[in-house]
Amino acid sequence: MSRQVYIGNLALGGGADVRIQSMTTTSTENVSQTLTQIMRLYEAGCELVRVAVRNESDARAIREIRAKSPLPIVADIHFSSKLAILAIESGANKIRINPGNIGGEADIRRVADCVRAHKIPVRVGSNTGSIEKSYLEQYGKSARSLVESALHNVGILEKFGVHEIVISVKASSVPLTVEAYRLLHKQTEYPLHVGVTEAGTKENGIVKSSVGIGSLLLDGIGDTLRVSLTDDPVEEVYAAERILRACDLRKNYVEVISCPTCGRCEWNSMRLAQTVEDHVFSIRKRLKVAVMGCVVNGPGEAKDCDLGIAGGKDKCVIFRKGEAERTVAAEDAEREFIKELDAMLREKGQEV
Amino acid sequence: MSRQVYIGNLALGGGADVRIQSMTTTSTENVSQTLTQIMRLYEAGCELVRVAVRNESDARAIREIRAKSPLPIVADIHFSSKLAILAIESGANKIRINPGNIGGEADIRRVADCVRAHKIPVRVGSNTGSIEKSYLEQYGKSARSLVESALHNVGILEKFGVHEIVISVKASSVPLTVEAYRLLHKQTEYPLHVGVTEAGTKENGIVKSSVGIGSLLLDGIGDTLRVSLTDDPVEEVYAAERILRACDLRKNYVEVISCPTCGRCEWNSMRLAQTVEDHVFSIRKRLKVAVMGCVVNGPGEAKDCDLGIAGGKDKCVIFRKGEAERTVAAEDAEREFIKELDAMLREKGQEV
């Protein structure tokens, strides 16, 4: 198990739930726009949020953002110890830097002293665009060079007394990302921030992130994740939630099993499945429901569920807790199934 | 390495490329609808297609479908040795059955004889809804019972002289699916058909399939895949292609790297990235291009690409083969970048 750090009040690593993070796309100094986006991310299920600090006014804006944000704030700083210190003094709950690129020893020492004084963690990491030159020359663009480069930055922090560290080693290649994290995982107890970098636009990026992040999470690697999409960051949070659910790392949600439909399917189970998924996506109660196209696989799977429906030509059968409850006409299936579902959610204390 | 089987002229397993398959949602006996869907699947990149055989007229329709289909046909049959034999005699290139549920020994022997006479492979498999009762009682709903149940069916086929076999062990739970295939992979040399069953509607199903199938493929497990979505099966093929690309199992395509954009981004790289992805998705030439929002990570990543663009406030820089080629005004970026991309594709013999 990894060590645990705190980002504000949020525990990360050491057996805590895997945390969803995202990054704002607003200009950080525009406090109202940034806070509006943070609220949207929060409502979507984001647990910590990163903001880019490009200049002093971005760094100073963190004070007001921090004060009004429901989520802990991570400040992302490149190349400047001065901005790092200003961001911390403005209240950043965590900073993301590479000490290797923020200046000389004196600069690094000043940042490290500030980090320790404010008791915040630091994320360091490498990606294929920022591997330290010496490792790139020695190992090429490889899992080894990504890991050595990240651990080199960890070493610098440790030398200056910082031990609250989160590490990342991202590549845009999924196999390289997975190989690097597997290697890193063997060599460190610090919590890991996992993700595939520059994954691309929504459709492609979700697949790349799901394969890369999912493979790691299934093997118990990763304490916080970011799905990196060239899209609205709210989509990153939805995708992250889906990945965690797919890996059985979230329990409090309504799982909807639905079959792909085939030539056997004689009613519109596809539409009902989509309606049900949309109906329950944001509900945080544990329930498993099934929408099955036909009687071949339908009942077998639906029996396993709290609530299920299996279709026929004119009629559908609704199952509840493994027992066939009643038969409804196909045209009433949606209304009747949603009614039963809502009743079951109400039993669990959910307002619907 | 797995053994190799042939489905029509298509090699599967034994080092062949991982094959994309899907299943029609039409009524199989409706030959023209079925063929129309098969053509759409073929054009999307599908390599073999399964059809449901519910009755004799479905089985007989396979003759005409086979004759006109550009893809080899897999017949999916439950509970009937008679339909299995009719489907094979009508020209099915592979059948998907579980010998354990098609009748007594005499029935199984007749199907096995027919399979051998026609030299076609058989896919057998278990899913959590169809685990043989004795294994379910012994091992519960587990990776072990899925694998034992599938291997039991393999054993029946082998007993009757059939050795061209493909195996699947699907669950709707991703961790269970991955665990089952990992276990199965250790115990057999037959090629494996991988997939997550009843994965759900498009958005959720793509994530579940990407995590499950992707994890397996990254570890070299899987010879053919099906993404199972409650949606148009063409979406299954697109998702399968994306998963294979994410796992570096497809080389002939244009890889688009794009950054997630953040507060540093001062131009609309998101729109350009989407435009570029749509422009190249179906092109089967190897090229790597990057669309980067800013100069912090942009040039580092774009250098690695055949063609790249990194944005600034008013101007963008276009890179070609690692060299900054020229600076263009932000408003001309899309037109100029696509022009360079098309020129590069033409050099590779691609019509654009």
Side-chain angles (χ1 to χ4, degrees), chain B residues 114-352:
Chain B
C114 189
V115 161
R116 283 205 320 281
H118 287 79
K119 296 188 168 47
I120 62 166
V122 180
R123 198 236 303 178
V124 302
S126 53
N127 67 46
T128 38
S130 73
I131 297 172
E132 302 278 332
K133 208 178 161 206
S134 62
Y135 299 108
L136 198 57
E137 283 165 0
Q138 210 173 340
Y139 306 115
K141 191 175 280 193
S142 64
R144 180 82 185 265
S145 63
L146 280 164
V147 170
E148 294 290 343
S149 186
L151 291 178
H152 168 75
N153 278 291
V154 169
I156 297 173
L157 283 183
E158 288 174 331
K159 184 175 154 197
F160 292 99
V162 175
H163 300 281
E164 306 279 295
I165 300 172
V166 180
I167 316 178
S168 62
V169 282
K170 298 184 181 184
S172 63
S173 154
V174 173
L176 181 54
T177 301
V178 171
E179 189 189 350
Y181 276 103
R182 284 177 174 173
L183 186 62
L184 177 61
H185 180 67
K186 284 186 201 147
Q187 296 186 39
T188 187
E189 289 182 342
Y190 288 119
L192 303 185
H193 164 118
V194 297
V196 176
T197 196
E198 283 98 29
T201 55
K202 187 176 167 192
E203 286 198 296
N204 222 24
I206 286 177
V207 169
K208 288 181 75 170
S209 297
S210 298
V211 174
I213 296 171
S215 301
L216 293 165
L217 292 177
L218 283 182
D219 287 340
I221 300 172
D223 301 286
T224 177
L225 79 157
R226 184 202 177 184
V227 175
S228 167
L229 299 179
T230 310
D231 207 310
D232 182 342
V234 168
E235 296 292 339
E236 300 185 347
V237 176
Y238 291 147
E241 178 74 28
R242 290 185 204 279
I243 293 171
L244 288 171
R245 291 177 180 182
C247 294
D248 272 0
L249 292 168
R250 284 288 193 268
K251 303 291 182 195
N252 258 0
Y253 72 100
V254 182
E255 185 177 355
V256 182
I257 305 295
S258 65
C259 73
T261 80
C262 66
R264 276 184 212 97
C265 189
E266 299 174 309
W267 67 301
N268 199 339
S269 71
M270 200 185 285
R271 199 183 66 184
L272 179 55
Q274 189 62 62
T275 303
V276 172
E277 273 206 5
D278 295 345
H279 187 69
V280 299
F281 184 71
S282 62
I283 290 174
R284 298 289 196 257
K285 298 285 175 192
R286 179 74 194 130
L287 213 59
K288 190 173 178 184
V289 303
V291 180
M292 309 301 286
C294 79
V295 290
V296 172
N297 295 311
E301 288 291 328
K303 264 189 200 166
D304 198 38
C305 294
D306 298 290
L307 191 67
I309 186 164
K313 198 163 188 170
D314 310 306
K315 292 172 182 175
C316 296
V317 177
I318 294 180
F319 295 85
R320 189 165 161 140
K321 308 270 183 203
E323 297 292 321
E325 196 184 55
R326 60 196 176 102
T327 301
V328 296
E331 68 260 33
D332 300 327
E334 178 173 323
R335 193 186 63 218
E336 294 301 315
F337 189 70
I338 296 279
K339 203 200 289 179
E340 300 247 0
L341 177 55
D342 285 350
M344 199 170 260
L345 287 168
R346 269 188 225 100
E347 283 172 29
K348 290 184 172 261
Q350 176 73 39
E351 283 182 40
V352 287

Side-chain angles (χ1 to χ4, degrees), chain A residues 24-334:
Chain A
T24 51
T25 56
T26 54
S27 182
T28 304
E29 64 188 336
N30 188 326
V31 171
S32 75
Q33 275 186 17
T34 302
L35 278 168
T36 300
Q37 198 174 52
I38 288 173
M39 284 309 301
R40 290 178 62 232
L41 292 168
Y42 168 71
E43 280 157 18
C46 187
E47 296 174 276
L48 65 161
V49 65
R50 185 154 44 111
V51 300
V53 174
R54 302 155 303 173
N55 52 44
E56 290 193 15
S57 87
D58 282 349
R60 289 210 178 82
I62 287 176
R63 187 169 306 280
E64 191 180 343
I65 293 168
R66 227 323 279 285
K68 296 180 179 168
S69 166
L71 298 177
I73 303 295
V74 186
D76 190 290
I77 302 123
H78 286 269
F79 312 126
S80 168
S81 60
K82 198 176 155 194
L83 288 180
I85 288 166
L86 195 55
I88 298 167
E89 288 175 344
S90 299
N93 299 107
K94 175 185 171 190
I95 58 168
R96 190 275 183 263
I97 53 165
N98 276 335
N101 75 24
I102 60 161
E105 288 236 336
D107 297 299
I108 299 169
R109 183 184 305 278
R110 271 193 294 274
V111 174
D113 287 348
C114 188
V115 160
R116 284 205 320 280
H118 288 79
K119 296 187 168 47
I120 62 167
V122 180
R123 198 238 301 179
V124 302
S126 54
N127 67 46
T128 39
S130 73
I131 299 172
E132 302 278 331
K133 208 179 161 205
S134 62
Y135 299 108
L136 198 57
E137 282 166 1
Q138 210 174 340
Y139 306 115
K141 192 175 279 192
S142 65
R144 180 82 186 267
S145 63
L146 280 164
V147 170
E148 294 290 343
S149 186
L151 291 178
H152 167 75
N153 278 290
V154 168
I156 297 173
L157 284 182
E158 288 174 332
K159 183 175 154 197
F160 292 99
V162 174
H163 299 280
E164 307 278 295
I165 300 172
V166 180
I167 316 179
S168 62
V169 281
K170 298 184 180 182
S172 63
S173 155
V174 173
L176 181 55
T177 301
V178 171
E179 189 189 349
Y181 276 104
R182 284 178 175 174
L183 185 62
L184 178 62
H185 181 65
K186 285 186 201 148
Q187 296 186 37
T188 188
E189 290 182 341
Y190 289 118
L192 303 185
H193 164 118
V194 296
V196 176
T197 196
E198 282 97 29
T201 55
K202 187 177 167 191
E203 287 198 296
N204 221 25
I206 285 176
V207 169
K208 287 181 75 171
S209 297
S210 298
V211 174
I213 297 170
S215 301
L216 293 165
L217 292 177
L218 283 181
D219 287 340
I221 300 172
D223 301 286
T224 178
L225 77 158
R226 185 204 176 181
V227 175
S228 167
L229 299 179
T230 310
D231 208 309
D232 182 343
V234 168
E235 296 292 338
E236 299 185 347
V237 176
Y238 290 147
E241 177 74 27
R242 291 186 203 279
I243 292 171
L244 289 171
R245 290 177 181 183
C247 294
D248 272 1
L249 291 169
R250 285 287 194 268
K251 303 291 182 196
N252 258 2
Y253 72 100
V254 182
E255 185 177 355
V256 182
I257 304 294
S258 65
C259 73
T261 80
C262 67
R264 276 184 211 97
C265 189
E266 299 174 308
W267 67 301
N268 199 339
S269 70
M270 200 185 288
R271 200 184 64 185
L272 180 55
Q274 189 62 61
T275 303
V276 172
E277 273 206 7
D278 294 345
H279 187 70
V280 299
F281 184 70
S282 62
I283 289 173
R284 299 288 195 258
K285 298 285 174 191
R286 179 76 193 129
L287 212 60
K288 190 174 177 183
V289 304
V291 180
M292 308 301 285
C294 77
V295 291
V296 172
N297 296 310
E301 287 291 329
K303 263 188 200 165
D304 198 38
C305 294
D306 298 289
L307 191 67
I309 186 163
K313 198 165 187 168
D314 309 306
K315 292 172 180 175
C316 296
V317 178
I318 294 178
F319 295 83
R320 191 167 160 137
K321 308 269 182 204
E323 298 292 322
E325 196 183 57
R326 61 197 178 100
T327 301
V328 296
E331 68 260 33
D332 301 328
E334 177 173 324

